[in-house]
Amino acid sequence: MAKEILQIKDLRVLFPIRSGFWNRITDYVRAVDGVNFSINEGETYGLIGESGSGKSTTGKAIVGVQKATSGQIIYDGLDVTKAHNRKKISYNKDVQMIFQDSMSSLNPRKRIEDIIAEPIRNFEDLTTDEERKRVQELLDIVGMPSDSIYKFPHEFSGGQRQRIGVARAVATNPKLIVADEPTSALDLSVQAQVLNFMKHIQQQYNISYLFISHDLGVVKHMSENIAIMHRGRLVEVGTRDEIYNHPMHIYTKRLLSAIPKVDVEHREENKRHREEVEAEFQHDQKRWYDEDGRVFPLQQLSPTHWVALPKQEVQAQMKEEK
Amino acid sequence: MDRQKDVLLDIQHLHTAYRLSGKFYDAADDINLTLKKDEILAIVGESGCGKSTIAASIIGLYDHKNTKVTGDILYKELNLVGLNENLFDKIRGNNIGMIFQDPLSSLNPLMRVGDQVAETLYYHTEMNEQERHARVIELFNQVGMPKPEEMYAMYPHELSGGLRQRVVIAIAIACKPEIIIADEPTTALDVTIQAQILDLLEDIQRQSHSGIILITHDLGVVAETADQVAVMYAGQIIEKADVKTIFGHPLHPYTRSLLNSMPQADDEEAADLHVIQGTVPSLKNMPRTGDRFAARIPWIPASAHESKPVMHEVAPGHLVRCTCYKEFHFQDQPAQEGAGA
């Protein structure tokens, strides 16, 4: 059994809604509403969700840019939702982030050298020469030419910028990288480049990834374990095989059936299947969600497979499958 | 001739050039395309390959000072290139509808969505106010908006992304156009919404028998919806065929590489994805002679390429640019004799 590097326990992030004359808090947006999962060392954990499902908020809470309302994130035996704990165990050095939009996540006024060196300067005490050597190494890893240290972000293409983002994230030898939609702004061939680099770096340095994306194809390519998020809660958790080949929750099935497939021969069948799933989803909301429209608590099916359905529903589905 | 009658749009030798620091550069280079009735023609390519330029040229939405369009775009008998603006205004929105990528920026934030649909009708039909209102409700029903009467009075920011895109589609189809140009209609949407919007487009096409030009970078979307496919690279069409051929027997190196670099939801092993070497040249630095893709497949000998690549019809309806496809093999595969022939 692989070692767990990060555990997330009942994480909640609520955003207050203020209204009325006194501008008092009248309700909350439950962006992340009781999420549990854990990431193993050296593996990629995929977090899938549609826009507004709370997947990015989860990622931000893990890195510590977003304060968690309640719940725990355990790293190295300490709860890192508290800032002083993060400082104590060099959590901020060990956990880095790759952002979606490489243009707005790189400072346009800084040269690449300063951009990549910034995390190194924060955590390590290197001389100028050592630092430059380090930056060169990092650029080598992501396959960028060595003269790019003198350039500015706007001089690069989208794929190159994203690779600079990857280089910056690995600069401090992190153990976990939260990658929030790292390739969704990129073209297909460039996406392939960035994903390959991320995989190579992972094998070389034994990094774990939390790979947040809405693209089920990319997540399947990258991750071993996957969680599907919907309305701030996890709908289904499992290994790649369990999620893609034996989905239990209607929402997972719906997502899977909606991916456009490069399968021209079976176009009509795919469409019919999609319509069936959609009809099932629309028809009986009560079966899948509770009275408030929230996702049910997770039920365990196998050591790795969890699904958010009431008990009797799980049993009924099990029978169906047999 | 019957075949001739079905052709809605016939693009011949279209060149669209943009002015960059005083000089004109062809962003769309010698484009030949035909769109028939009852057909979805997909134009696929990566960003900067010129696919949106074609759309802008057809519908005449470009900066007339800094853009030079030559060639012919024949809508039935009428040439849209250099057409008088007053005449164009009658066609745009009426005979040719356009669906844009980002519904939030293509809708007016200060106008109720119902009025925005009615505006098109105001310009192109002689309906009175009641008739227009009734038609908008009918359109909202057609594009699957729930509670159309309530939706009429909403502002764009009050609607979700999927609903906004439905409004944009309602505007595009308001005057029952014969041609609909959809420029990345689902890029900004979630997969489930994307599936709904694509189904909607197909339904509309089936009912109205119009021709749709679908511009996208998503090969999955193409495989699910298109009838005919044109693949573009660096301003040129490099392969053109029906959808089954493109995905079943792609020939051009670029098409094959692109299909290979796609992470698929149903591939089991997590091997490395195929990477196309190098980058797409920018408009200024684009090679104007020889095969534009040659620089990205350097292991293919120069003798395999044509000096002036032209489209070859390898099978009826299947056109491929350049002869290099005959000798093309992926770098990690050994060369095969007559792989493409």
Side-chain angles (χ1 to χ4, degrees):
Chain A
M1 184 88 187
K3 205 180 134 223
E4 281 174 358
I5 182 166
L6 191 83
Q7 279 174 294
I8 291 147
K9 287 185 181 167
D10 207 24
L11 179 73
R12 266 168 231 272
V13 181
L14 310 181
F15 296 108
I17 303 170
R18 289 171 185 275
S19 61
F21 182 71
W22 301 106
N23 217 14
R24 270 191 280 209
I25 297 169
T26 49
D27 201 358
Y28 293 94
V29 175
R30 297 167 182 276
V32 181
D33 191 10
V35 163
N36 295 287
F37 63 92
S38 52
I39 302 170
N40 293 337
E41 208 176 78
E43 72 153 32
T44 306
Y45 197 90
L47 187 59
I48 302 174
E50 293 189 286
S51 41
S53 61
K55 58 188 193 302
S56 290
T57 312
T58 311
K60 282 180 184 163
I62 290 171
V63 184
V65 225
Q66 173 68 52
K67 212 176 165 320
T69 312
S70 68
Q72 291 180 310
I73 300 170
I74 313 277
Y75 178 83
D76 220 0
L78 281 176
D79 178 13
V80 289
T81 51
K82 298 183 178 63
H84 61 268
N85 279 347
R86 283 206 289 273
K87 290 225 171 89
K88 215 190 281 175
I89 53 171
S90 72
Y91 181 79
N92 294 339
K93 179 171 170 264
D94 288 350
V95 178
Q96 293 288 325
M97 189 155 182
I98 302 172
F99 297 91
Q100 171 176 4
D101 184 358
S102 56
M103 194 71 221
S104 58
S105 64
L106 302 177
N107 189 335
R109 298 185 183 199
K110 279 188 173 175
R111 291 179 193 277
I112 299 308
E113 180 179 17
D114 296 314
I115 289 175
I116 296 180
E118 194 176 348
I120 305 175
R121 285 171 195 162
N122 282 343
F123 298 109
E124 280 164 58
D125 204 11
L126 298 181
T127 64
T128 323
D129 285 347
E130 283 170 342
E131 187 190 279
R132 176 155 298 175
K133 218 177 126 219
R134 195 72 225 288
V135 172
Q136 290 287 8
E137 275 170 28
L138 288 164
L139 285 174
D140 252 11
I141 293 170
V142 293
M144 300 278 291
S146 56
D147 66 336
S148 36
I149 56 168
Y150 302 112
K151 292 186 177 168
F152 288 99
H154 72 261
E155 294 176 68
F156 296 96
S157 67
Q160 287 175 318
R161 276 203 296 270
Q162 199 56 285
R163 267 145 61 186
I164 294 168
V166 175
R168 177 176 62 180
V170 294
T172 56
N173 292 324
K175 302 212 171 76
L176 171 70
I177 293 180
V178 176
D180 188 359
E181 308 246 17
T183 60
S184 58
L186 303 177
D187 271 324
L188 208 52
S189 61
V190 183
Q191 165 175 296
Q193 264 174 27
V194 173
L195 292 181
N196 283 351
F197 274 120
M198 285 180 69
K199 276 207 149 171
H200 290 167
I201 291 166
Q202 176 170 45
Q203 282 151 10
Q204 223 170 330
Y205 300 98
N206 197 30
I207 300 171
S208 314
Y209 287 121
L210 175 65
F211 198 95
I212 301 172
S213 181
H214 67 274
D215 189 327
L216 289 102
V218 173
V219 172
K220 184 171 188 193
H221 179 76
M222 293 296 287
S223 347
E224 286 93 40
N225 288 306
I226 291 161
I228 310 248
M229 203 164 173
H230 182 44
R231 300 184 189 169
R233 299 187 133 208
L234 296 185
V235 166
E236 197 159 354
V237 179
T239 60
R240 174 170 38 202
D241 175 59
E242 282 162 346
I243 295 284
Y244 283 88
N245 299 332
H246 310 284
M248 290 292 281
H249 199 280
I250 188 75
Y251 184 73
T252 316
K253 290 180 190 166
R254 185 167 168 247
L255 272 185
L256 287 172
S257 69
I259 322 172
K261 289 168 197 69
V262 193
D263 183 10
V264 187
E265 298 292 325
H266 302 103
R267 186 147 102 177
E268 290 303 312
E269 288 159 51
N270 287 339
K271 191 177 172 187
R272 218 171 311 122
H273 173 67
R274 185 170 74 228
E275 277 163 357
E276 275 167 25
V277 173
E278 184 67 26
E280 202 185 342
F281 176 76
Q282 297 295 349
H283 172 65
D284 212 354
Q285 290 273 325
K286 280 229 179 65
R287 272 173 74 193
W288 320 111
Y289 301 102
D290 67 10
E291 298 94 62
D292 307 329
R294 285 166 68 188
V295 176
F296 288 111
L298 288 170
Q299 299 282 337
Q300 192 162 19
L301 299 177
S302 76
T304 50
H305 198 177
W306 301 68
V307 67
L309 286 175
K311 272 218 170 81
Q312 63 269 28
E313 188 62 41
V314 172
Q315 279 157 1
Q317 290 233 6
M318 291 291 230
K319 260 183 212 160
E320 227 172 85
E321 203 140 285
K322 274 171 194 166
Chain B
M1 243 158 67
D2 212 35
R3 203 184 142 268
Q4 210 64 26
K5 222 177 82 188
D6 283 345
V7 174
L8 285 174
L9 199 68
D10 191 7
I11 304 177
Q12 293 293 340
H13 303 293
L14 173 74
H15 289 260
T16 305
Y18 294 125
R19 195 208 299 266
L20 290 175
S21 38
K23 272 174 140 178
F24 281 101
Y25 296 90
D26 269 354
D29 197 346
D30 198 23
I31 303 295
N32 296 294
L33 279 175
T34 49
L35 175 71
K36 294 199 194 88
K37 243 173 110 169
D38 280 316
E39 181 180 86
I40 299 183
L41 167 72
I43 304 178
V44 222
E46 295 181 284
S47 42
C49 72
K51 52 193 195 300
S52 293
T53 300
I54 296 179
S57 310
I58 295 171
I59 204 160
L61 289 177
Y62 46 82
D63 177 0
H64 286 259
K65 267 189 202 145
N66 296 315
T67 316
K68 203 160 68 185
V69 181
T70 52
D72 299 307
I73 302 172
L74 297 171
Y75 165 62
K76 290 176 179 170
E77 304 291 281
L78 190 69
N79 195 345
L80 299 180
V81 175
L83 189 68
N84 174 313
E85 268 304 301
N86 290 332
L87 263 172
F88 220 136
D89 279 344
K90 291 209 175 86
I91 288 170
R92 202 184 289 147
N94 193 12
N95 304 79
I96 304 177
M98 176 102 189
I99 300 165
F100 295 94
Q101 174 176 356
D102 183 2
L104 195 56
S105 54
S106 58
L107 291 173
N108 184 343
L110 299 176
M111 218 171 148
R112 298 181 191 279
V113 291
D115 290 337
Q116 299 192 42
V117 184
E119 193 187 18
T120 320
L121 298 168
Y122 174 80
Y123 283 112
H124 294 294
T125 62
E126 271 154 25
M127 293 180 184
N128 63 30
E129 211 175 326
Q130 281 87 29
E131 285 168 344
R132 286 203 295 270
H133 188 275
R135 171 79 179 131
V136 172
I137 301 298
E138 188 190 323
L139 282 166
F140 277 3
N141 270 321
Q142 197 188 341
V143 297
M145 309 248 301
K147 301 179 198 148
E149 287 285 351
E150 277 171 46
M151 289 289 169
Y152 190 99
M154 295 264 209
Y155 287 97
H157 74 267
E158 295 176 283
L159 303 177
S160 66
L163 284 178
R164 273 183 221 138
Q165 197 59 287
R166 283 169 202 269
V167 174
V168 175
I169 293 175
I171 295 175
I173 63 168
C175 300
K176 300 185 177 138
E178 286 178 291
I179 301 169
I180 300 170
I181 300 171
D183 189 357
E184 306 260 9
T186 58
T187 310
L189 305 173
D190 279 324
V191 271
T192 46
I193 314 288
Q194 166 171 293
Q196 289 167 15
I197 295 287
L198 292 176
D199 286 348
L200 174 64
L201 275 178
E202 275 182 44
D203 287 345
I204 287 168
Q205 190 231 30
R206 215 165 295 141
Q207 284 165 21
S208 63
H209 301 288
S210 48
I212 297 182
I213 297 181
L214 179 71
I215 294 169
T216 181
H217 67 272
D218 190 332
L219 292 166
V221 169
V222 176
E224 293 249 315
T225 44
D227 300 313
Q228 292 287 325
V229 184
V231 186
M232 287 190 72
Y233 178 77
Q236 292 177 319
I237 293 176
I238 50 106
E239 188 160 5
K240 199 159 68 173
D242 62 274
V243 68
K244 280 190 180 157
T245 318
I246 285 283
F247 288 95
H249 310 280
L251 283 182
H252 195 279
Y254 180 64
T255 319
R256 291 176 59 188
S257 312
L258 211 54
L259 283 168
N260 249 13
S261 60
M262 197 175 167
Q264 283 188 21
D266 42 352
D267 82 306
E268 278 309 319
E269 49 177 328
D272 263 7
L273 292 167
H274 177 74
V275 170
I276 306 176
Q277 282 189 19
T279 49
V280 183
S282 67
L283 188 53
K284 265 187 181 175
N285 305 324
M286 216 177 275
R288 297 290 162 189
T289 52
D291 187 356
R292 293 176 186 189
F293 194 59
R296 303 188 67 182
I297 41 170
W299 62 94
I300 303 295
S303 58
H305 299 287
E306 285 176 296
S307 59
K308 269 192 183 162
V310 288
M311 296 294 268
H312 301 274
E313 187 152 13
V314 288
H318 187 180
L319 288 97
V320 186
R321 191 176 290 273
C322 195
T323 46
C324 59
Y325 72 89
K326 285 183 190 155
E327 288 183 41
F328 178 73
H329 56 93
F330 289 110
Q331 199 171 16
D332 44 8
Q333 287 169 359
Q336 283 169 12
E337 278 305 308

